[in-house]
């Protein structure tokens, strides 16, 4: 395991902070708080840099609001200053941890994402089922209250296995402990902390249990096998590992083993042996919200599924609106 020292100066450098601002501001320049930060950019970056350099930086409070995407979630948003720092941290630590991630971890990673995840699932199913000539079962799991259940001490221990300089450790501790319980939905650094945290599960399944056909997106994960009994035997092992090592638990109401012919609900699509459908609640949301401004995005979602009839319905609705 490679050990990293002297990361602090890289994280807090003005060059890294300015580059982090450029990354952060994309698509946000219509926001009042972002415009206010930009209006005095050099001074704001200099102030953040000096507070970090002098070890006087303190993470600010979060603003909470509710969204539906489609299910209700509470987003906790940090202020602009802290979010720029989050990007600065990610710019330095992501290259350290990214090479340790398995290829079938698809959340918030470059050249990954939901569509690549669904494509990978399709390839797995074809491989295990021998192109639908053999039985194929899928164990589907979800972690209960994942983000709010992430244990700070365990997360920091995982981070500190590789990051050894004290200044960077203290900064990471300040950011991790700025929110409780767990870590907040809505921050870029939280997305990466969640990947680093569940990489422990990925490594256990892939290297300890030798599971070949495994795929994860945030806290949703699947295992594909010809043998249903084998999948059933894995459940208590996964349950015990999560509880003992990560202080997490599987959601009992979202745990299932299904035949592929029943359809597998994963990442917004229902995957069957020879086709994919749009999830019902996703259909309802699209039908309710589609307009001229968002139609390109929604038709992009439909292009990854067998949705010819739905496309026709939406095209007719748009004609009616216009």
């Amino acid at each position: 395991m490679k050990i990293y020292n002297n990361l602090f100066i890289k994280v807090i450098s003005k060059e890294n902070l300015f580059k982090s601002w450029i990354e952060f501001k994309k698509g946000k320049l219509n926001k009042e708080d972002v415009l206010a930060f930009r209006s005095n950019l050099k001074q704001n970056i200099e102030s953040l840099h000096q507070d970090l350099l002098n070890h006087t930086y303190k993470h600010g409070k979060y603003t909470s609001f509710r969204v539906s995407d489609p299910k209700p979630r509470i987003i906790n948003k940090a202020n602009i200053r802290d979010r720029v720092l989050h990007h600065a941290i990610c710019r330095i630590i992501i290259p350290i941890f990214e090479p340790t991630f398995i290829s079938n971890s698809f959340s918030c990673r470059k050249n990954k994402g939901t569509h690549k995840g669904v494509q990978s699932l399709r390839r797995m199913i074809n491989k295990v089922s021998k192109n639908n000539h053999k039985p194929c079962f899928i164990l589907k799991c979800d972690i209960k209250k994942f983000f709010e259940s992430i244990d700070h001490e365990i997360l920091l221990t995982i981070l500190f296995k590789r990051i050894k300089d004290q200044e960077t450790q203290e900064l990471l501790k300040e950011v991790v402990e700025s929110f409780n319980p767990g870590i907040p939905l809505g921050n870029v650094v939280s997305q990466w902390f969640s990947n680093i945290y569940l990489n422990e599960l990925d490594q256990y399944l892939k290297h300890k249990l030798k599971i070949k056909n495994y795929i994860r997106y945030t806290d949703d994960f699947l295992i594909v096998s010809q043998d249903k009994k084998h999948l059933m035997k894995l459940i208590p092992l996964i349950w015990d590992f999560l509880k003992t090592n990560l202080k997490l638990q599987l959601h009992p109401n979202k745990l299932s083993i299904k035949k592929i012919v029943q359809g597998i609900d994963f990442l917004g699509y229902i995957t069957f042996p020879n086709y994919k459908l749009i999830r019902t609640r996703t259909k309802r949301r699209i039908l309710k919200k589609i307009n001229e401004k968002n139609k390109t995005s929604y038709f992009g979602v439909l292009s990854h599924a067998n949705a010819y009839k739905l496309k026709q319905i939406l095209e007719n609705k748009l004609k009616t609106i216009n």
Side-chain angles (χ1 to χ4, degrees):
M1 181 186 297
K2 188 174 180 180
I3 302 301
Y4 292 83
N5 291 292
N6 304 317
L7 296 176
F8 187 69
I9 296 302
K10 294 180 181 180
V11 173
I12 73 166
S13 72
K14 292 180 187 179
E15 179 184 7
N16 190 44
L17 292 175
F18 273 110
K19 286 182 178 178
S20 300
W21 157 255
I22 291 169
E23 289 179 1
F24 163 75
K25 73 174 183 176
K26 291 177 182 177
K28 301 184 182 73
L29 287 178
N30 60 339
K31 307 287 186 181
E32 288 185 14
D33 52 354
V34 178
L35 290 171
F37 191 91
R38 188 181 70 165
S39 67
N40 202 11
L41 181 60
K42 287 185 178 179
Q43 186 174 331
N44 285 329
I45 295 295
E46 177 65 30
S47 172
L48 176 57
H49 171 71
Q50 288 299 323
D51 281 352
L52 292 164
L53 186 64
N54 297 328
H55 303 289
T56 56
Y57 167 80
K58 296 294 180 185
H59 198 287
K61 295 182 179 180
Y62 292 84
T63 301
S64 299
F65 58 94
R66 188 178 294 272
V67 298
S68 296
D69 63 343
K71 62 182 180 181
R73 296 178 184 271
I74 296 176
I75 300 297
N76 293 280
K77 184 174 72 172
N79 62 44
I80 305 301
R81 190 172 193 257
D82 295 329
R83 289 157 77 188
V84 170
L85 175 61
H86 294 170
H87 278 265
I89 290 171
C90 287
R91 281 177 53 81
I92 303 303
I93 72 165
I94 287 172
I96 294 173
F97 288 94
E98 171 74 24
T100 71
F101 295 162
I102 65 170
S103 61
N104 283 334
S105 167
F106 285 91
S107 176
C108 306
R109 297 176 65 193
K110 189 176 181 180
N111 299 321
K112 299 289 184 178
T114 56
H115 297 311
K116 291 288 180 69
V118 174
Q119 290 169 12
S120 180
L121 174 60
R122 163 63 59 198
R123 287 193 295 270
M124 260 183 215
I125 290 168
N126 288 341
K127 178 183 173 183
V128 172
S129 70
K130 306 296 183 184
N131 293 321
N132 303 321
H133 289 92
K134 295 289 183 180
C136 185
F137 298 90
I138 292 89
L139 169 62
K140 187 173 187 293
C141 301
D142 181 285
I143 295 173
K144 187 176 182 180
K145 297 181 179 178
F146 172 56
F147 279 88
E148 66 183 81
S149 299
I150 289 178
D151 183 90
H152 290 175
E153 184 177 351
I154 294 173
L155 174 58
L156 290 170
T157 298
I158 295 168
L159 292 168
F160 295 172
K161 285 179 183 178
R162 290 181 173 269
I163 299 172
K164 293 298 184 183
D165 62 291
Q166 187 175 348
E167 290 175 305
T168 306
Q169 288 184 350
E170 288 299 323
L171 180 58
L172 289 170
K173 186 176 181 182
E174 175 68 25
V175 172
V176 169
E177 295 185 348
S178 67
F179 186 85
N180 199 49
I183 59 175
L185 277 169
N187 289 331
V188 64
V189 73
S190 294
Q191 296 169 355
W192 284 99
F193 284 162
S194 69
N195 266 342
I196 291 168
Y197 202 79
L198 280 185
N199 186 47
E200 301 294 303
L201 173 66
D202 298 343
Q203 299 301 322
Y204 170 71
L205 292 176
K206 295 293 288 186
H207 300 296
K208 185 71 173 179
L209 298 186
K210 307 295 183 183
I211 305 299
K212 293 181 180 180
N213 300 299
Y214 164 72
I215 185 169
R216 180 176 64 80
Y217 190 97
T218 315
D219 61 324
D220 294 327
F221 58 95
L222 307 175
I223 299 174
V224 185
S225 175
Q226 289 184 10
D227 188 347
K228 183 178 181 180
K229 290 182 179 179
H230 172 64
L231 294 178
M232 293 177 67
K233 289 177 181 178
L234 291 177
I235 294 173
L237 297 176
I238 296 170
W239 197 291
D240 183 64
F241 178 86
L242 288 172
K243 180 180 179 181
T244 303
N245 294 275
L246 299 175
K247 293 187 179 179
L248 299 173
Q249 66 180 92
L250 295 176
H251 198 305
N253 298 330
K254 297 181 179 180
L255 179 66
S256 65
I257 298 177
K258 288 186 176 181
K259 294 180 180 179
I260 182 58
V261 293
Q262 295 175 276
I264 304 303
D265 187 342
F266 187 59
L267 302 182
Y269 297 90
I270 312 296
T271 298
F272 290 89
N274 298 307
Y275 60 96
K276 287 183 295 183
L277 299 178
I278 300 291
R279 184 185 287 163
T280 300
R281 64 187 182 195
T282 304
K283 288 182 189 176
R284 290 172 181 164
R285 185 170 77 252
I286 293 174
L287 284 166
K288 181 179 179 181
K289 295 187 175 183
I290 194 166
N291 54 47
E292 284 297 324
K293 290 182 178 180
N294 62 29
K295 69 177 184 180
T296 302
S297 175
Y298 282 139
F299 277 114
V301 172
L302 299 183
S303 69
H304 294 274
N306 301 81
Y308 177 75
K309 290 184 179 180
L310 181 57
K311 287 178 186 176
Q312 288 185 313
I313 293 171
L314 292 174
E315 287 170 352
N316 291 334
K317 182 175 182 180
L318 287 170
K319 290 177 183 177
T320 303
I321 293 174
N322 295 333

